[in-house]
Amino acid sequence: MDPPYDLTVIIPTFREGENIGAIIRAVGEVLTRAGIRGEILVVDDSSPDGTIPAVRALEDVFPDVRLVVRTSDPGLSQSVVEGFSLARAPVFLVMDADFSHPPDLIPRFLEEIRGGADVVIGSRYTQGGGTEGWPISRRIISRGATLLGRILFPEITDPVSGFFALRREVVTGAPLRPRGYKILMEVLGKGRWEKAREIPYVFMDRRAGSSKLRPGTILDYIRQVLDISRHAFSHREGAAWEEWEKILRFAVVGCSGIVVNMGILWILTRFAGIYYLISSIIAIEVSILNNFFWNDRWTFGKMPEHRTRSFASRIMLFHGVSAMGAAINWDFLFFLTQFAGINYLISNLIGIIVAFGWNYLVNRNVTWRRG
Ligand code: GDD
Ligand code: MN
């Protein structure tokens, strides 16, 4: 038997009495116009305002509107996950009730899924996307959250989007631990998917009511990133694991570079009788070449898609990034010791960590960037 629907639109709500009626109508119209057999599933956390009666009133008019009223464990992510378990279509789409996410784009999400994507993400941070009506503070927080998320999912420009679609199979049996606001990260970190697509959109500030973003949201988010990493380490598969694998390999190669550097320095100075500062220049260059070679063969070498640049430009970029990394290391050593009164060994350690982050991220996304 065919599934009764092509698409389930999941709308989590809390205190959306002023928006929910209008968004249901808008989504309903878009679905009808596009010839999509869709159901609209509103997952509400016992809103005390008029949200529930507003949906009930529409349930009687539109047969494809369903309301679930949750009474325990409230939360946006929890509601979305409950929506996954109750949805009847093979494809789910999640969106906000407050018109921040344009309903007109819904058919494009489904098109991308039909074209083979497992996950389709509405992105504010790709060409053509953006945010409108946000104060600078919210922009900064959002940018920071996005950058942290992109360490785990570099190919995705907006891994914390609240506007996304997925095939049912992506989350079937996935050990989702919904918490906080970033349910998409959880899906990307623990779901089964290979192909992700992004659709640019402009996030509009909510039409009515107020946002429920709390200070604890940021902490929740950091915990979630750690939890997804833990999951990646124990399952050793999926996109987040692939990134961690590269980070670990890059670190191993970095350590091998230290051994090479010290070894050459010692051999040249001790046995070849070369002045130690001259030996050091040779030792540094050989260790850079050592690191380049192993990163090229091993860290990023498993995946030919990382070789979008010529050998010459890879090796040149790697040298530039390393030089800049050394300067960063040295700046931290100097400024933290000189002006912050921190012990020079600790300053140096901090410098090494920051330089490592720099080296990894730039090499990952520039030197060996994917096509
Ligand atoms: N069921 C339920 N329970 N729904 C909730 C809850 C809750 O505890 N809190 C919020 N919602 C619903 C709102 O009613 C709205 O439909 C949607 O979730 C988003 O809530 P907002 O409060 O409007 O969130 P926002 O605009 O600050 O955040 C948006 O941006 C984030 C990325 O920066 C949302 O799109 C998030 O999904 C997104 O992650
Ligand atoms: Mn909103």
Side-chain angles (χ1 to χ4, degrees), residues 19 96-103 105 124 129-134 138 163 201-208 211:
N19 294 312
D96 293 354
D98 58 4
F99 285 92
S100 292
H101 303 148
L105 291 179
R124 296 161 293 176
T131 52
E132 219 154 84
W134 271 12
R138 172 126 202 222
F163 191 22
Y201 82 99
V202 177
F203 185 102
M204 307 297 278
D205 203 13
R206 60 168 45 249
R207 268 200 194 167
S211 166

Side-chain angles (χ1 to χ4, degrees), residues 11-17 19-20 23 42-47 51 68 70 73-80 94-101 124-125 131 134 138 141-143 145-146 158-164 180-184 201 203-206 208-214:
I11 308 180
T13 54
F14 188 66
R15 291 179 183 271
E16 298 287 2
N19 294 312
I20 191 65
I23 193 86
V42 178
V43 189
D44 184 76
D45 268 324
S46 298
S47 295
T51 308
V68 184
R70 305 177 71 244
D73 189 22
L76 171 52
S77 295
Q78 291 90 319
S79 301
V80 170
V94 179
M95 69 186 294
D96 293 354
D98 58 4
F99 285 92
S100 292
H101 303 148
R124 296 161 293 176
Y125 301 121
T131 52
W134 271 12
R138 172 126 202 222
I141 293 175
S142 171
R143 272 287 176 180
T146 309
D158 196 352
V160 298
S161 175
F163 191 22
F164 59 94
Y181 259 45
K182 310 305 174 195
I183 181 60
L184 175 58
Y201 82 99
F203 185 102
M204 307 297 278
D205 203 13
R206 60 168 45 249
S210 60
S211 166
K212 291 99 197 170
L213 204 75
R214 303 166 292 108

Side-chain angles (χ1 to χ4, degrees), residues 263-275 278-280 282-283:
I264 303 257
L265 178 64
W266 181 63
I267 289 166
L268 291 183
T269 309
R270 175 87 168 72
F271 300 102
I274 298 175
Y275 182 59
I278 306 289
S279 307
S280 165
I282 300 170

Side-chain angles (χ1 to χ4, degrees), residues 8 10 39 41 66 82-89 91-92 168:
T8 297
I10 299 172
E39 69 166 339
L41 180 57
R66 256 203 301 165
E82 185 153 344
F84 291 160
S85 70
L86 298 169
R88 285 178 285 195
V91 180
F92 312 153
R168 169 186 289 276

